[in-house]
Amino acid sequence: MKHLKNILAFIGLIAVVSTLIFAVQSNEMDEKPEVKESEKVTTDKNVAETYQISAIEIPEDLNFAGETVPQEDPEIMERVDREFLVNTYWQSNALLLMKRANKYFPIIEPILKKNGIPDDFKYLAVAESGLQNVVSPAGATGFWQIMKATGREYGLEVNDNVDERYHVEKATQVACDYLKKWKDRFGSWTLTAAAYNAGPAGVQKYMDIQQVDDYYDLLLGQETGRYVFRILAIKEIISNRDKYGFQLEDEDMYEKVPTFKVEVDTAVTNWADFASLYEINYKVLKRHNPWLREPHLNNSSRKKYTIEIPNKGYYRVGNAGK
């Protein structure tokens, strides 16, 4: 009996101790400092409070060179919408296009006008090259992406020394001659634009197979099928940049550096030496005359070339001329 009493007493002691420990822990939990609302970690924070992504409202009067886009067709509008979204939300590229357009459109526009080509075709050059002297995998070159054979056919000089596909004014004139020719054949500026991209033979082939004569009725390959729609989107976004959220001031734009012209009708042994005569360097000379393709000019035929030289004070040219 004595042992039983001891056991019961020990069990009672454990129960009392356990109760005291629980009470102390409860008090500690109750006495934790209150966390301020501003210090709470939340999982529903809206990280896009100032950056809103939305659908693009498509203008109701889309046209290319005065030819109306059939906006009542839902399939057409899906393709339009795709190009508006891609070109609006690819902001870095759109900004660069706007900056370059300010520099080069004043060169292209009067040549288009002189040749009776709708002003909208300046956006074709944007779609083709981004207004850069790029070369495609197929060898199409310059702002207007002219193939070597086409350039020669239309009177451009294309060889190791000189490649006038890189000459903005001359290449724009060739593009005008090409566009006028195919407008006479197709009777539509929209089809002419498609032919510029895919080649007139390719467009005619699709028209014959599908028995239609309108670009918007043709089932074309991926690139040409998007081509006119991309031009439409670029035209609208560049023309109305504030509407699409692009904030650019005049000082943000690229400007054409003023130049004067020098005529050369002899061989030039070294263009770097030639550049130093005008207190510029080889890089600056090539920037203004990208159609000069080698560090020298053979000119065995004594042809007359016109070289653009920038006015003084616009470039850092190091030790040029010293």
mmCIF file of all heavy atoms in Angstrom, residues 126-162:
data_model
loop_
_atom_site.group_PDB
_atom_site.id
_atom_site.type_symbol
_atom_site.label_atom_id
_atom_site.label_comp_id
_atom_site.label_asym_id
_atom_site.label_seq_id
_atom_site.Cartn_x
_atom_site.Cartn_y
_atom_site.Cartn_z
ATOM 1 N N VAL A 126 11.140 49.893 -93.732
ATOM 2 C CA VAL A 126 11.284 49.600 -92.300
ATOM 3 C C VAL A 126 11.084 48.112 -92.050
ATOM 4 O O VAL A 126 11.852 47.473 -91.313
ATOM 5 C CB VAL A 126 10.282 50.423 -91.468
ATOM 6 C CG1 VAL A 126 10.419 50.090 -89.985
ATOM 7 C CG2 VAL A 126 10.478 51.920 -91.690
ATOM 8 N N ALA A 127 10.044 47.547 -92.669
ATOM 9 C CA ALA A 127 9.762 46.120 -92.482
ATOM 10 C C ALA A 127 10.882 45.256 -93.065
ATOM 11 O O ALA A 127 11.211 44.197 -92.516
ATOM 12 C CB ALA A 127 8.430 45.764 -93.138
ATOM 13 N N GLU A 128 11.462 45.688 -94.173
ATOM 14 C CA GLU A 128 12.497 44.899 -94.833
ATOM 15 C C GLU A 128 13.796 44.861 -94.031
ATOM 16 O O GLU A 128 14.420 43.803 -93.897
ATOM 17 C CB GLU A 128 12.785 45.488 -96.221
ATOM 18 C CG GLU A 128 11.742 45.143 -97.277
ATOM 19 C CD GLU A 128 11.843 43.705 -97.757
ATOM 20 O OE1 GLU A 128 12.918 43.095 -97.636
ATOM 21 O OE2 GLU A 128 10.825 43.184 -98.254
ATOM 22 N N SER A 129 14.217 46.004 -93.518
ATOM 23 C CA SER A 129 15.579 46.074 -92.967
ATOM 24 C C SER A 129 15.697 46.756 -91.615
ATOM 25 O O SER A 129 16.793 46.798 -91.051
ATOM 26 C CB SER A 129 16.469 46.845 -93.958
ATOM 27 O OG SER A 129 16.034 48.203 -94.047
ATOM 28 N N GLY A 130 14.583 47.324 -91.104
ATOM 29 C CA GLY A 130 14.707 48.141 -89.898
ATOM 30 C C GLY A 130 15.507 49.405 -90.141
ATOM 31 O O GLY A 130 16.075 49.973 -89.218
ATOM 32 N N LEU A 131 15.559 49.845 -91.428
ATOM 33 C CA LEU A 131 16.350 51.015 -91.829
ATOM 34 C C LEU A 131 17.818 50.858 -91.447
ATOM 35 O O LEU A 131 18.448 51.748 -90.882
ATOM 36 C CB LEU A 131 15.762 52.300 -91.230
ATOM 37 C CG LEU A 131 14.329 52.636 -91.675
ATOM 38 C CD1 LEU A 131 13.844 53.897 -90.976
ATOM 39 C CD2 LEU A 131 14.219 52.774 -93.183
ATOM 40 N N GLN A 132 18.334 49.678 -91.791
ATOM 41 C CA GLN A 132 19.751 49.383 -91.585
ATOM 42 C C GLN A 132 20.299 48.706 -92.836
ATOM 43 O O GLN A 132 19.566 48.038 -93.568
ATOM 44 C CB GLN A 132 19.958 48.446 -90.398
ATOM 45 C CG GLN A 132 19.495 49.000 -89.063
ATOM 46 C CD GLN A 132 19.736 47.993 -87.957
ATOM 47 O OE1 GLN A 132 20.733 48.042 -87.247
ATOM 48 N NE2 GLN A 132 18.829 47.061 -87.817
ATOM 49 N N ASN A 133 21.594 48.846 -93.055
ATOM 50 C CA ASN A 133 22.231 48.201 -94.208
ATOM 51 C C ASN A 133 22.582 46.754 -93.862
ATOM 52 O O ASN A 133 23.747 46.401 -93.676
ATOM 53 C CB ASN A 133 23.472 48.986 -94.631
ATOM 54 C CG ASN A 133 23.115 50.129 -95.565
ATOM 55 O OD1 ASN A 133 22.326 49.960 -96.492
ATOM 56 N ND2 ASN A 133 23.693 51.296 -95.329
ATOM 57 N N VAL A 134 21.547 45.949 -93.770
ATOM 58 C CA VAL A 134 21.721 44.550 -93.394
ATOM 59 C C VAL A 134 21.780 43.667 -94.645
ATOM 60 O O VAL A 134 21.414 44.084 -95.735
ATOM 61 C CB VAL A 134 20.578 44.082 -92.469
ATOM 62 C CG1 VAL A 134 20.609 44.827 -91.150
ATOM 63 C CG2 VAL A 134 19.221 44.270 -93.149
ATOM 64 N N VAL A 135 22.253 42.443 -94.452
ATOM 65 C CA VAL A 135 22.324 41.454 -95.528
ATOM 66 C C VAL A 135 21.565 40.216 -95.077
ATOM 67 O O VAL A 135 21.817 39.681 -93.994
ATOM 68 C CB VAL A 135 23.788 41.089 -95.860
ATOM 69 C CG1 VAL A 135 23.832 40.064 -96.986
ATOM 70 C CG2 VAL A 135 24.581 42.333 -96.242
ATOM 71 N N SER A 136 20.627 39.764 -95.895
ATOM 72 C CA SER A 136 19.823 38.591 -95.549
ATOM 73 C C SER A 136 20.607 37.314 -95.855
ATOM 74 O O SER A 136 21.612 37.344 -96.575
ATOM 75 C CB SER A 136 18.516 38.585 -96.352
ATOM 76 O OG SER A 136 18.762 38.149 -97.682
ATOM 77 N N PRO A 137 20.163 36.166 -95.315
ATOM 78 C CA PRO A 137 20.830 34.906 -95.641
ATOM 79 C C PRO A 137 20.855 34.609 -97.138
ATOM 80 O O PRO A 137 21.763 33.934 -97.624
ATOM 81 C CB PRO A 137 19.987 33.863 -94.880
ATOM 82 C CG PRO A 137 19.397 34.626 -93.736
ATOM 83 C CD PRO A 137 19.127 35.993 -94.274
ATOM 84 N N ALA A 138 19.870 35.147 -97.876
ATOM 85 C CA ALA A 138 19.821 34.922 -99.322
ATOM 86 C C ALA A 138 20.683 35.913 -100.094
ATOM 87 O O ALA A 138 20.820 35.799 -101.319
ATOM 88 C CB ALA A 138 18.378 35.006 -99.808
ATOM 89 N N GLY A 139 21.251 36.902 -99.398
ATOM 90 C CA GLY A 139 22.106 37.874 -100.059
ATOM 91 C C GLY A 139 21.435 39.188 -100.394
ATOM 92 O O GLY A 139 22.067 40.069 -100.996
ATOM 93 N N ALA A 140 20.150 39.357 -100.042
ATOM 94 C CA ALA A 140 19.483 40.642 -100.244
ATOM 95 C C ALA A 140 20.142 41.670 -99.323
ATOM 96 O O ALA A 140 20.418 41.392 -98.159
ATOM 97 C CB ALA A 140 17.994 40.518 -99.941
ATOM 98 N N THR A 141 20.357 42.874 -99.854
ATOM 99 C CA THR A 141 21.257 43.824 -99.181
ATOM 100 C C THR A 141 20.659 45.219 -99.096
ATOM 101 O O THR A 141 19.951 45.667 -99.991
ATOM 102 C CB THR A 141 22.597 43.883 -99.942
ATOM 103 O OG1 THR A 141 23.215 42.597 -99.887
ATOM 104 C CG2 THR A 141 23.546 44.917 -99.352
ATOM 105 N N GLY A 142 20.981 45.910 -97.987
ATOM 106 C CA GLY A 142 20.651 47.317 -97.842
ATOM 107 C C GLY A 142 19.261 47.570 -97.291
ATOM 108 O O GLY A 142 18.527 46.647 -96.928
ATOM 109 N N PHE A 143 18.904 48.849 -97.214
ATOM 110 C CA PHE A 143 17.600 49.256 -96.680
ATOM 111 C C PHE A 143 16.452 48.558 -97.404
ATOM 112 O O PHE A 143 15.450 48.193 -96.798
ATOM 113 C CB PHE A 143 17.423 50.769 -96.833
ATOM 114 C CG PHE A 143 18.076 51.592 -95.758
ATOM 115 C CD1 PHE A 143 19.256 51.199 -95.151
ATOM 116 C CD2 PHE A 143 17.514 52.786 -95.357
ATOM 117 C CE1 PHE A 143 19.860 51.964 -94.167
ATOM 118 C CE2 PHE A 143 18.107 53.570 -94.369
ATOM 119 C CZ PHE A 143 19.282 53.157 -93.778
ATOM 120 N N TRP A 144 16.592 48.415 -98.714
ATOM 121 C CA TRP A 144 15.504 47.876 -99.537
ATOM 122 C C TRP A 144 15.702 46.402 -99.866
ATOM 123 O O TRP A 144 14.949 45.837 -100.642
ATOM 124 C CB TRP A 144 15.353 48.696 -100.812
ATOM 125 C CG TRP A 144 14.892 50.093 -100.538
ATOM 126 C CD1 TRP A 144 15.663 51.208 -100.342
ATOM 127 C CD2 TRP A 144 13.533 50.531 -100.390
ATOM 128 N NE1 TRP A 144 14.875 52.300 -100.093
ATOM 129 C CE2 TRP A 144 13.566 51.926 -100.119
ATOM 130 C CE3 TRP A 144 12.290 49.892 -100.467
ATOM 131 C CZ2 TRP A 144 12.405 52.676 -99.921
ATOM 132 C CZ3 TRP A 144 11.135 50.637 -100.275
ATOM 133 C CH2 TRP A 144 11.197 52.014 -100.010
ATOM 134 N N GLN A 145 16.730 45.788 -99.297
ATOM 135 C CA GLN A 145 16.971 44.349 -99.453
ATOM 136 C C GLN A 145 16.941 43.917 -100.922
ATOM 137 O O GLN A 145 16.134 43.071 -101.346
ATOM 138 C CB GLN A 145 15.964 43.551 -98.629
ATOM 139 C CG GLN A 145 16.175 43.662 -97.123
ATOM 140 C CD GLN A 145 17.437 42.952 -96.670
ATOM 141 O OE1 GLN A 145 17.444 41.739 -96.450
ATOM 142 N NE2 GLN A 145 18.535 43.696 -96.542
ATOM 143 N N ILE A 146 17.847 44.489 -101.690
ATOM 144 C CA ILE A 146 17.922 44.244 -103.126
ATOM 145 C C ILE A 146 18.921 43.126 -103.403
ATOM 146 O O ILE A 146 20.043 43.138 -102.887
ATOM 147 C CB ILE A 146 18.331 45.540 -103.859
ATOM 148 C CG1 ILE A 146 17.272 46.623 -103.628
ATOM 149 C CG2 ILE A 146 18.529 45.290 -105.347
ATOM 150 C CD1 ILE A 146 17.691 48.003 -104.101
ATOM 151 N N MET A 147 18.506 42.174 -104.225
ATOM 152 C CA MET A 147 19.409 41.102 -104.633
ATOM 153 C C MET A 147 20.424 41.640 -105.639
ATOM 154 O O MET A 147 20.178 42.621 -106.336
ATOM 155 C CB MET A 147 18.620 39.945 -105.250
ATOM 156 C CG MET A 147 17.653 39.271 -104.275
ATOM 157 S SD MET A 147 18.502 38.431 -102.906
ATOM 158 C CE MET A 147 19.257 37.049 -103.773
ATOM 159 N N LYS A 148 21.573 40.962 -105.716
ATOM 160 C CA LYS A 148 22.647 41.425 -106.594
ATOM 161 C C LYS A 148 22.185 41.536 -108.044
ATOM 162 O O LYS A 148 22.409 42.558 -108.722
ATOM 163 C CB LYS A 148 23.840 40.466 -106.493
ATOM 164 C CG LYS A 148 25.045 40.899 -107.316
ATOM 165 C CD LYS A 148 26.169 39.873 -107.234
ATOM 166 C CE LYS A 148 26.762 39.807 -105.844
ATOM 167 N NZ LYS A 148 27.963 38.917 -105.800
ATOM 168 N N ALA A 149 21.536 40.504 -108.556
ATOM 169 C CA ALA A 149 21.094 40.509 -109.956
ATOM 170 C C ALA A 149 20.083 41.617 -110.214
ATOM 171 O O ALA A 149 20.131 42.285 -111.258
ATOM 172 C CB ALA A 149 20.502 39.152 -110.319
ATOM 173 N N THR A 150 19.165 41.829 -109.264
ATOM 174 C CA THR A 150 18.159 42.892 -109.416
ATOM 175 C C THR A 150 18.824 44.263 -109.420
ATOM 176 O O THR A 150 18.485 45.130 -110.233
ATOM 177 C CB THR A 150 17.119 42.813 -108.284
ATOM 178 O OG1 THR A 150 16.524 41.514 -108.286
ATOM 179 C CG2 THR A 150 16.041 43.871 -108.462
ATOM 180 N N GLY A 151 19.786 44.460 -108.532
ATOM 181 C CA GLY A 151 20.493 45.736 -108.490
ATOM 182 C C GLY A 151 21.166 46.030 -109.813
ATOM 183 O O GLY A 151 21.052 47.151 -110.356
ATOM 184 N N ARG A 152 21.853 45.066 -110.348
ATOM 185 C CA ARG A 152 22.533 45.263 -111.635
ATOM 186 C C ARG A 152 21.541 45.484 -112.764
ATOM 187 O O ARG A 152 21.756 46.320 -113.654
ATOM 188 C CB ARG A 152 23.432 44.067 -111.932
ATOM 189 C CG ARG A 152 24.675 44.018 -111.042
ATOM 190 C CD ARG A 152 25.456 42.735 -111.232
ATOM 191 N NE ARG A 152 26.744 42.767 -110.523
ATOM 192 C CZ ARG A 152 27.492 41.698 -110.291
ATOM 193 N NH1 ARG A 152 27.078 40.494 -110.696
ATOM 194 N NH2 ARG A 152 28.639 41.815 -109.642
ATOM 195 N N GLU A 153 20.438 44.737 -112.722
ATOM 196 C CA GLU A 153 19.406 44.890 -113.758
ATOM 197 C C GLU A 153 18.872 46.321 -113.798
ATOM 198 O O GLU A 153 18.563 46.854 -114.866
ATOM 199 C CB GLU A 153 18.261 43.912 -113.485
ATOM 200 C CG GLU A 153 17.100 44.019 -114.464
ATOM 201 C CD GLU A 153 15.912 43.147 -114.076
ATOM 202 O OE1 GLU A 153 16.062 42.309 -113.154
ATOM 203 O OE2 GLU A 153 14.835 43.314 -114.677
ATOM 204 N N TYR A 154 18.772 46.946 -112.626
ATOM 205 C CA TYR A 154 18.221 48.297 -112.539
ATOM 206 C C TYR A 154 19.306 49.380 -112.487
ATOM 207 O O TYR A 154 19.031 50.521 -112.138
ATOM 208 C CB TYR A 154 17.296 48.406 -111.338
ATOM 209 C CG TYR A 154 15.953 47.743 -111.574
ATOM 210 C CD1 TYR A 154 15.778 46.387 -111.358
ATOM 211 C CD2 TYR A 154 14.861 48.482 -112.023
ATOM 212 C CE1 TYR A 154 14.557 45.775 -111.580
ATOM 213 C CE2 TYR A 154 13.631 47.891 -112.244
ATOM 214 C CZ TYR A 154 13.490 46.531 -112.025
ATOM 215 O OH TYR A 154 12.271 45.922 -112.248
ATOM 216 N N GLY A 155 20.535 49.012 -112.826
ATOM 217 C CA GLY A 155 21.560 50.020 -113.032
ATOM 218 C C GLY A 155 22.494 50.305 -111.876
ATOM 219 O O GLY A 155 23.305 51.245 -111.955
ATOM 220 N N LEU A 156 22.445 49.538 -110.821
ATOM 221 C CA LEU A 156 23.363 49.762 -109.704
ATOM 222 C C LEU A 156 24.704 49.083 -109.983
ATOM 223 O O LEU A 156 24.773 48.007 -110.585
ATOM 224 C CB LEU A 156 22.782 49.205 -108.406
ATOM 225 C CG LEU A 156 21.509 49.864 -107.871
ATOM 226 C CD1 LEU A 156 21.102 49.210 -106.563
ATOM 227 C CD2 LEU A 156 21.702 51.368 -107.673
ATOM 228 N N GLU A 157 25.764 49.703 -109.518
ATOM 229 C CA GLU A 157 27.079 49.083 -109.594
ATOM 230 C C GLU A 157 27.268 48.176 -108.381
ATOM 231 O O GLU A 157 27.118 48.613 -107.238
ATOM 232 C CB GLU A 157 28.180 50.150 -109.618
ATOM 233 C CG GLU A 157 29.578 49.563 -109.750
ATOM 234 C CD GLU A 157 30.670 50.621 -109.838
ATOM 235 O OE1 GLU A 157 30.338 51.832 -109.955
ATOM 236 O OE2 GLU A 157 31.861 50.242 -109.781
ATOM 237 N N VAL A 158 27.575 46.916 -108.652
ATOM 238 C CA VAL A 158 27.755 45.947 -107.574
ATOM 239 C C VAL A 158 29.001 45.122 -107.875
ATOM 240 O O VAL A 158 29.012 44.272 -108.772
ATOM 241 C CB VAL A 158 26.532 45.008 -107.435
ATOM 242 C CG1 VAL A 158 26.747 44.035 -106.270
ATOM 243 C CG2 VAL A 158 25.249 45.798 -107.237
ATOM 244 N N ASN A 159 30.075 45.392 -107.154
ATOM 245 C CA ASN A 159 31.313 44.640 -107.307
ATOM 246 C C ASN A 159 32.085 44.689 -105.993
ATOM 247 O O ASN A 159 31.553 45.131 -104.972
ATOM 248 C CB ASN A 159 32.144 45.177 -108.477
ATOM 249 C CG ASN A 159 32.424 46.669 -108.352
ATOM 250 O OD1 ASN A 159 32.850 47.147 -107.303
ATOM 251 N ND2 ASN A 159 32.193 47.418 -109.438
ATOM 252 N N ASP A 160 33.331 44.236 -106.004
ATOM 253 C CA ASP A 160 34.111 44.200 -104.769
ATOM 254 C C ASP A 160 34.404 45.592 -104.227
ATOM 255 O O ASP A 160 34.413 45.811 -103.010
ATOM 256 C CB ASP A 160 35.431 43.452 -104.991
ATOM 257 C CG ASP A 160 35.218 41.968 -105.217
ATOM 258 O OD1 ASP A 160 34.135 41.470 -104.845
ATOM 259 O OD2 ASP A 160 36.120 41.311 -105.771
ATOM 260 N N ASN A 161 34.638 46.556 -105.102
ATOM 261 C CA ASN A 161 34.970 47.921 -104.690
ATOM 262 C C ASN A 161 33.758 48.718 -104.244
ATOM 263 O O ASN A 161 33.806 49.459 -103.262
ATOM 264 C CB ASN A 161 35.612 48.673 -105.857
ATOM 265 C CG ASN A 161 37.128 48.580 -105.879
ATOM 266 O OD1 ASN A 161 37.757 49.269 -106.658
ATOM 267 N ND2 ASN A 161 37.729 47.738 -105.051
ATOM 268 N N VAL A 162 32.695 48.579 -105.021
ATOM 269 C CA VAL A 162 31.514 49.424 -104.852
ATOM 270 C C VAL A 162 30.264 48.562 -104.887
ATOM 271 O O VAL A 162 30.110 47.707 -105.770
ATOM 272 C CB VAL A 162 31.447 50.497 -105.974
ATOM 273 C CG1 VAL A 162 30.103 51.217 -105.948
ATOM 274 C CG2 VAL A 162 32.587 51.490 -105.840
#
